[in-house]
Amino acid sequence: CRDSDGVLREFGSRWRRADCYDCSCSRKGIGCCAGFGTPVGFNEEKCEKVFNKKTCTYKVVEKEDPSKECPFSGMVA
């Protein structure tokens, strides 16, 4: 399999792209899916979700004071 960066991958191999998608190579081709969940069920007027590319995770923080986290009810893939 040749990935989107032009790298040749072996059948059965798995890797994480820079955009935090997990990929695998099989004889049918390459398949990729999000390697992170997205928070839902939070006060969108007061809070916002912030993505950390180094850890491939979201935090939900107050817009006025990003040092304060906001509660949320769940995560979706």
Side-chain angles (χ1 to χ4, degrees):
C1 302
R2 189 169 305 276
D3 70 16
S4 59
D5 295 324
V7 176
L8 191 59
R9 304 285 182 164
E10 290 186 28
F11 294 130
S13 64
R14 296 179 177 276
W15 66 97
R16 177 166 277 183
R17 297 186 328 202
D19 62 359
C20 297
Y21 276 74
D22 293 326
C23 300
S24 63
C25 171
S26 73
R27 295 196 183 277
K28 294 181 181 180
I30 292 178
C32 298
C33 62
F36 54 89
T38 303
V40 294
F42 60 91
N43 181 340
E44 294 187 33
E45 290 181 23
K46 181 180 177 184
C47 304
E48 63 185 347
K49 58 188 176 190
V50 177
F51 191 69
N52 181 328
K53 286 186 177 184
K54 288 183 181 179
T55 62
C56 296
T57 58
Y58 273 104
K59 263 179 34 174
V60 180
V61 297
E62 289 185 7
K63 292 177 183 178
E64 297 293 321
D65 184 356
S67 69
K68 295 181 182 176
E69 292 193 35
C70 297
F72 57 93
S73 63
M75 301 281 273
V76 295

